[in-house]
Amino acid sequence: MSPRPLPGRRSVLRGSLAASAALTLPGALGAAPALALSGRPRAGWGVQAGDVTADSGLVWVRSDRPARMIVETSATESFRNPRRWHGPLLGPGSDFTGTARLHGLPSGEQIHYRVLLADPHDPRRTGEPVHGTFRTAPARRRQGVRFVWSGDIAGQGWGINESIGGYRIFDAMAGLDPDFFLCSGDNIYADGPIEATAALPDGSVYRNVTTEEKSHVAVSLADYRGNFRYNLLDGALRRFNAQVPGIIQWDDHEVRNNWYPGEVIGGGTPYPPGTRLDDLAVRARRAFSEYFPISTVSGRPDGRIYRVHHHGPLLDVFVLDMRTYRNANSPDDQKHDPQGILGEEQLRWLKRELSRSRAVWKVIAADMPLGLVVPDGVEGKPNFEAVAQGDPGAPLGRELQIAELLRFVKHRRITGTVWLTADVHHTSAQHYDPSRAAFKDFAPFWEFVSGPLNAGAFPASELDGTFGPDRVFVKAPAVANVSPAEGYQFFGEVDIDGGSGELTVRLREQDGSVLFTKVLQPGRVGQ
């Protein structure tokens, strides 16, 4: 894919500066909108776009008080003859957040937008507009596709450290001018309080921006909302959101570490005795849906997160939810496991959508890796958190469901599948091949791992030989919980050339330096 000229960003920067000026750290996060009703509505948390297609997109904003959301779009930064969209009324029921759906957009074009917040009692009174931009998906393959992915933000007590540039990795990702950002989960660490300081191994001090909601684990809806607002205090993230649309999925830390449906905790932990994780998940999902512009299937009470994102003829992204429908963490050695990590309904959906896809490349966005062993971490219990359990033999437990999926892909002759994930806080590339595997009824494929974005980095996970992984590249620290100030923060880039159809994966460090490159050819099996 040939380099594209960066779009003009005067309007984006202007909007980002306005958003920055509207935030006073850290007091703005905790300020009650009811205490600041004088003047005009302000959108100090920036703007975001999400789930952008060839002709549509979602735009998000948060107000500091009740307001009507208005979006104007234009083909140029001048906003001459803009098109206007009337969004929802923002109020306390949604924590003053709202999303407007834009439709009928031209494909493959740069869309400039600005969000205005109007006084609901006097529409003429509007606040300072906040600007953003995104590129719609191409209708023709020759335009190519470029996107970035990663996950894990503000984990292990490492939050916004302004002395090192805050979440500086987002500036490096923005510099590549991607079409979108795939966030592979752990957008927040609801179970991870952030203190003002933390000692580093060299004797220096890591200094965090702090807020009341991040001083304890999240239990209430207000706590979860405060966790999402915390990240938006970071200027680099707000600039990135204004420039790059997102495709967002979730994992465990949006609720609590390693959670699963039906789990009950409490007693000897920061949570009250008898805390039902399902109750926390309801609050977390609501806050998640309020703070990200994501498409969900209408009419579903669970606000479904798994979905397929069509990005032109070259690419379909299958966004999985490996958290909501899984069975309980266990030794994972059962010989029959229809529920697995996806649930039966999601597995049927994934098979159906993969078989329908006509895209050259089919990226499976998994919030957890396949062949990397991820222990549950509960003392005295040999339970496992992801798919693999360290037994290199025939599939057991959750591996049975993945084996069924891989067999389906092979027998339906579905080509171009690539797995992307995060979660394990290091970066690596694994090639899976039946010639090395205990289970052999599948076609070879690649899995690429990235992250964290701003969290503790950890040593490389062990491999499970059931599906024959060969780790051809890895970069990870030798010790656990290395801070963002010490490095080991990663993101990945996928670049699909519109002419040849080649897909190039680059694993990058936080400054954008390339660590590893792999080029895959379209339509081939076993590369």
Side-chain angles (χ1 to χ4, degrees):
M1 178 179 179
S2 58
R4 291 171 297 208
L6 298 180
R9 294 206 172 78
R10 286 175 295 168
S11 61
V12 175
L13 292 175
R14 188 165 62 245
S16 297
L17 289 172
S20 298
L23 280 174
T24 303
L25 301 179
L29 182 64
L35 300 180
L37 292 179
S38 61
R40 299 170 185 261
R42 294 191 302 173
W45 307 94
V47 289
Q48 302 178 57
D51 285 8
V52 171
T53 71
D55 62 359
S56 68
L58 303 173
V59 171
W60 174 97
V61 75
R62 182 178 191 263
S63 178
D64 65 344
R65 70 201 71 190
R68 172 68 66 181
M69 179 183 181
I70 300 170
V71 183
E72 292 183 337
T73 62
S74 173
T76 65
E77 294 176 285
S78 67
F79 280 89
R80 188 174 293 111
N81 300 319
R83 186 177 178 185
R84 174 167 282 207
W85 315 79
H86 291 278
L89 183 66
L90 314 182
S94 63
D95 201 28
F96 301 92
T97 67
T99 297
R101 179 178 292 277
L102 315 183
H103 54 84
L105 303 175
S107 63
E109 297 290 338
Q110 198 73 32
I111 305 297
H112 299 271
Y113 69 90
R114 59 189 179 193
V115 178
L116 300 95
L117 298 177
D119 185 325
H121 304 294
D122 184 357
R124 296 169 298 179
R125 290 176 54 81
T126 60
E128 182 75 17
V130 182
H131 294 249
T133 186
F134 61 83
R135 206 165 24 246
T136 51
R140 300 179 181 179
R141 61 176 283 169
R142 68 171 181 266
Q143 289 181 268
V145 180
R146 180 189 298 123
F147 70 93
V148 292
W149 95 92
S150 189
D152 313 300
I153 309 172
Q156 292 73 49
W158 310 113
I160 301 169
N161 183 343
E162 295 180 319
S163 68
I164 63 170
Y167 296 164
R168 52 187 170 169
I169 196 170
F170 284 95
D171 285 334
M173 291 194 294
L176 297 176
D177 188 34
D179 292 298
F180 61 87
F181 167 55
L182 169 63
C183 190
S184 303
D186 292 344
N187 296 269
I188 61 170
Y189 278 70
D191 56 333
I194 289 177
E195 299 181 355
T197 61
L200 296 174
D202 63 359
S204 61
V205 176
Y206 190 99
R207 301 187 183 278
N208 287 308
V209 170
T210 58
T211 66
E212 193 281 327
E213 289 92 343
K214 286 300 300 177
S215 67
H216 54 269
V217 300
V219 176
S220 68
L221 176 59
D223 292 338
Y224 284 104
R225 287 167 165 172
N227 271 258
F228 287 105
R229 286 201 304 274
Y230 177 83
N231 286 336
L232 295 176
L233 292 173
D234 183 75
L237 177 56
R238 293 197 308 277
R239 290 190 298 271
F240 182 82
N241 286 343
Q243 177 187 330
V244 182
I247 299 177
I248 309 296
Q249 62 189 138
W250 78 343
D251 194 34
D252 55 333
H253 288 286
E254 280 82 2
V255 180
R256 181 187 179 271
N257 185 42
N258 295 357
W259 80 274
Y260 53 82
E263 185 179 8
V264 179
I265 60 172
T269 74
Y271 299 88
T275 298
R276 298 176 67 251
L277 270 294
D278 290 347
D279 293 338
L280 297 186
V282 169
R283 298 162 200 161
R285 185 188 293 272
R286 177 171 172 179
F288 178 87
S289 67
E290 291 170 344
Y291 274 84
F292 290 113
I294 67 169
S295 301
T296 55
V297 177
S298 62
R300 293 183 62 95
D302 61 355
R304 198 177 87 180
I305 292 171
Y306 69 84
R307 60 205 188 275
V308 58
H309 176 80
H310 304 290
H311 200 87
L314 286 171
L315 177 65
D316 282 346
V317 180
F318 299 85
V319 183
L320 303 187
D321 180 354
M322 304 174 87
R323 187 59 51 182
T324 305
Y325 312 101
R326 62 165 54 201
N327 51 20
N329 290 353
S330 72
D332 203 31
D333 55 3
Q334 59 271 27
K335 295 182 179 180
H336 179 68
D337 190 0
Q339 184 173 356
I341 200 166
L342 297 174
E344 294 181 86
E345 181 180 339
Q346 184 176 191
L347 178 61
R348 286 194 297 269
W349 165 85
L350 181 55
K351 288 179 177 179
R352 182 174 65 249
E353 294 300 327
L354 281 169
S355 64
R356 289 176 176 175
S357 174
R358 296 297 175 263
V360 176
W361 294 101
K362 302 157 188 72
V363 165
I364 302 177
D367 43 298
M368 302 212 73
L370 297 186
L372 279 63
V373 180
V374 185
D376 186 294
V378 178
E379 187 175 353
K381 294 184 179 180
N383 293 342
F384 294 92
E385 159 71 351
V387 174
Q389 78 292 81
D391 182 340
L396 295 171
R398 293 168 180 162
E399 290 173 337
L400 292 164
Q401 193 175 65
I402 300 303
E404 181 182 344
L405 174 63
L406 296 179
R407 182 188 296 113
F408 176 86
V409 169
K410 173 189 173 182
H411 287 258
R412 288 297 183 97
R413 299 182 179 179
I414 298 170
T415 61
T417 58
V418 178
W419 291 72
L420 302 182
T421 189
D423 183 72
V424 289
H425 297 232
H426 63 261
T427 188
S428 67
Q430 288 82 233
H431 182 247
Y432 292 79
D433 194 298
S435 66
R436 296 185 295 264
F439 173 76
K440 297 183 178 299
D441 195 10
F442 71 97
F445 66 95
W446 282 87
E447 174 187 52
F448 299 97
V449 181
S450 195
L453 288 162
N454 194 95
F458 286 80
S461 304
E462 295 181 4
L463 293 182
D464 182 311
T466 297
F467 300 119
D470 175 27
R471 186 155 47 199
V472 299
F473 173 80
V474 63
K475 184 168 183 179
V479 298
N481 200 18
V482 173
S483 79
E486 302 164 87
Y488 294 100
Q489 310 292 297
F490 306 106
F491 70 94
E493 173 197 7
V494 175
D495 195 343
I496 307 176
D497 183 78
S500 67
E502 288 182 342
L503 182 147
T504 301
V505 177
R506 300 181 183 93
L507 301 180
R508 295 178 179 264
E509 291 193 282
Q510 63 184 357
D511 65 355
S513 301
V514 176
L515 299 169
F516 173 81
T517 300
K518 180 64 184 179
V519 180
L520 303 179
Q521 300 299 322
R524 294 186 185 177
V525 174
Q527 53 187 323

